[in-house]
Amino acid sequence: MSKKTPQAIRGTQDIFGADAEAFAFVVETFERVRRLYRFRRVEMPVFEKTEVFARSLGETTDVVSKEMYSFEDRGGESLTLRPEFTAGIARAFLTNGWQQYAPLKVATHGPLFRYERPQKGRYRQFHQIDAEVIGAAEPQADVELLAMADQLLKDLGINDVTLHLNTLGDGASREAWRAALIDYFRQVEGQLSEESQERLEKNPLRILDSKDPRDKPFLADAPKIDAFLSEEAAAFFAAVTSGLDAAGVKWVRAESLVRGLDYYRHTAFEFIPDEGSASAAALGSQSTVLGGGRYDGLMESLGGAPTPAVGWAAGIERLAMLVGAREEQPADLIIVVEDDARVAEAIGLIGDVRKHGFTAELIASGSPRKRYDKAVKRGAEVILSLRPEMGRGIATDNPEAGVLGVLGAYR
RNA sequence: GCGAUCAUAGCUCAGUUGGUUAGAGCGCCGGUUUGUGGUACCGGAGGUCACGGGUUCGAACCCCGUUGGUCGCCCCA
């Protein structure tokens, strides 16, 4: 590779072949399932004013403080490539008056950007599918969203992941719990890992997630959210879990599952590969395949009226890894031109075949004698070879092949 | 931001304690063979050994730096 050839940007990927097919399969399955659940498709800008993310995610979060691709446009405005979908969708909801459609169920997918160190299942430009229900305060919205996620994973053939579910309670419950956690961990602060000591200041809930062996002994006895739930919050969570049971969605309670962003309330969830499963091995240290929760506080932080909402997002690359490489489908027909004088005939024929809805490929370059072998290697339902003296030459062991109807004259 | 590890042909990789002109398989291109056929054989193109410095009579190999890949930590999908 000469130094003159430009390199791809770190953390971006050029997806091709079987990997690209897996990627497309994830997106196609998502599109199909989202229609079943009547989620409406939305297309969102890839960039927004920086404040859209800064205000909704919070200035102090890692995402905003060190992971955003922000830049000034020629008018001097600070813009940011979207690091997630939710903030932009919330902004659109407010600026377009989509309140009139509430409760609004929307779905989208596309690229997102985060300046992070790349590793397995993590990229600087990555892709997500995303589903949101905006303007629905009732737990049934959570249930429907989770049922959709569950069906999506099953339709993708991913059966070794489980829904891990928690509640963060309403604002008051959450604050009380947070205060109790701080009190609790303060008493043993000196024995915690450096990271957790820092988290104690910035994001105490996160300590519960710690993998550090120094923190583990203190996690089991840490205060539980259940003790701080208001009656309404407890009832809300009970409605979600019984709804999931009714929908046939398997779940486990994950008391230490929290969300990094402050706007989350009530339901928080992640689909995580089962321990020791093939999916767990495929994902390495990136365990979450799909995650989300209820973000009733978000609209206010963008200056809108209080609006309840729930949503989730899933990394397409991660899902594609679990789906595995998917081979590209062989063509219905390959036409091999072994006689260069018959190129025009081949072009006419192949056009016909394609107009009838069959996939077809033309091989008319390289050494004429090797073209047929090339076709065999590539594989097709039917291979038709136009050869100098044999006139009509068709090779297939598959009399059922549909293309043969169009190729009647060549039988 | 921190740590580990790697970088040789389009791809997958050999390359001995530093020592002539850097190799193989696959792929690609051409030829011969076969002739309703994924055959076999012959030949060819393609490499500033990631980049930049240093040590040495001599560096793909040793040292430093840079860039990038991979895998962890943090954080997150």
Side-chain angles (χ1 to χ4, degrees):
Chain A
M1 210 80 59
S2 139
K3 68 177 171 187
K4 280 186 186 164
T5 12
Q7 282 178 314
I9 304 294
R10 172 166 231 192
T12 63
Q13 357 163 43
D14 304 309
I15 310 172
F16 175 75
D19 293 334
E21 292 300 319
F23 191 104
F25 174 64
V26 170
V27 173
E28 284 158 15
T29 306
F30 173 67
E31 277 295 302
R32 184 172 56 74
V33 171
R34 141 247 135 178
R35 283 193 181 92
L36 295 177
Y37 285 78
R38 302 285 290 166
F39 276 63
R40 303 218 250 168
R41 174 81 206 196
V42 282
E43 296 295 337
M44 304 300 306
V46 169
F47 54 176
E48 296 273 355
K49 288 184 185 177
T50 297
E51 63 169 323
V52 170
F53 305 111
R55 285 171 63 179
S56 61
L57 302 178
E59 298 277 2
T60 60
T61 57
D62 275 16
V63 172
V64 170
S65 63
K66 46 192 188 199
E67 293 177 3
M68 293 204 305
Y69 278 94
S70 298
F71 60 97
E72 275 191 12
D73 71 4
R74 287 167 189 277
E77 183 121 53
S78 178
L79 305 180
T80 295
L81 299 181
R82 61 187 181 196
E84 58 132 41
F85 277 117
T86 307
I89 291 176
R91 185 234 86 214
F93 183 86
L94 296 173
T95 55
N96 297 325
W98 286 348
Q99 289 94 331
Q100 62 183 312
Y101 304 116
L104 177 65
K105 301 195 288 184
V106 292
T108 191
H109 64 82
L112 303 165
F113 305 85
R114 247 119 95 163
Y115 190 84
E116 290 186 282
R117 200 67 182 269
Q119 56 184 282
K120 194 181 191 73
R122 274 177 89 153
Y123 306 95
R124 288 186 172 182
Q125 176 178 338
F126 59 107
H127 302 79
Q128 285 187 345
I129 50 179
D130 179 278
E132 317 275 351
V133 182
I134 306 177
E138 63 283 351
Q140 285 70 36
D142 307 46
V143 172
E144 184 176 40
L145 204 57
L146 282 164
M148 177 166 85
D150 190 66
Q151 178 168 356
L152 170 69
L153 293 169
K154 295 216 161 68
D155 285 5
L156 287 170
I158 301 169
N159 294 306
D160 52 0
V161 302
T162 302
L163 168 59
H164 290 230
L165 187 68
N166 197 18
T167 178
L168 303 172
D170 48 37
S173 323
R174 188 187 155 127
E175 274 320 303
W177 182 38
R178 182 189 158 100
L181 280 172
I182 294 175
D183 283 350
Y184 172 80
F185 284 118
R186 275 251 189 271
Q187 290 166 25
V188 294
E189 188 171 356
Q191 299 166 70
L192 296 176
S193 65
E194 296 79 32
E195 278 101 13
S196 286
Q197 293 185 26
E198 206 169 307
R199 284 190 273 236
L200 196 45
E201 307 300 325
K202 288 174 61 181
N203 198 351
L205 306 200
R206 275 276 159 203
I207 299 176
L208 297 172
D209 259 354
S210 175
K211 296 167 200 157
D212 197 297
R214 287 170 289 177
D215 299 332
K216 293 247 161 112
F218 306 110
L219 302 185
D221 292 328
K224 302 282 190 289
I225 177 67
D226 287 4
F228 302 89
L229 288 180
S230 65
E231 222 168 279
E232 293 83 356
F236 188 95
F237 190 57
V240 171
T241 57
S242 63
L244 289 172
D245 292 338
V249 176
K250 291 208 174 62
W251 57 278
V252 296
R253 179 70 195 274
E255 285 180 316
S256 64
L257 190 153
V258 296
R259 304 271 81 196
L261 308 174
D262 281 343
Y263 57 58
Y264 282 103
R265 300 284 181 280
H266 294 290
T267 323
F269 53 86
E270 294 179 5
F271 283 80
I272 298 175
D274 302 333
E275 209 149 328
S277 66
S279 289
L283 282 177
S285 71
Q286 315 304 323
S287 51
T288 303
V289 114
L290 183 154
R294 180 164 274 280
Y295 51 94
D296 292 350
L298 174 58
M299 290 297 172
E300 287 162 86
S301 66
L302 288 175
T307 309
V310 227
W312 56 250
I316 298 177
E317 287 89 348
R318 290 186 189 177
L319 290 170
M321 284 191 275
L322 303 191
V323 159
R326 296 178 75 83
E327 292 313 317
E328 293 160 278
Q329 292 298 305
D332 295 320
L333 171 72
I334 293 180
I335 297 182
V336 182
V337 182
E338 289 191 80
D339 175 3
D340 283 334
R342 300 180 70 179
V343 171
E345 181 185 355
I347 291 173
L349 254 178
I350 203 167
D352 255 12
V353 166
R354 286 170 174 159
K355 278 171 200 143
H356 280 83
F358 294 101
T359 60
E361 207 171 338
L362 189 65
I363 297 183
S365 63
S367 171
R369 313 202 87 162
K370 289 184 174 161
R371 291 176 194 168
Y372 190 86
D373 286 355
K374 212 187 276 183
V376 172
K377 277 189 190 168
R378 218 170 279 188
E381 289 285 303
V382 171
I383 296 173
L384 169 65
S385 191
L386 303 182
R387 314 175 62 213
E389 68 286 355
M390 318 219 19
R392 318 192 171 289
I394 194 159
T396 178
D397 293 327
N398 180 11
E400 308 294 313
V403 233
L404 287 177
V406 189
L407 290 173
Y410 279 83
R411 290 210 71 132

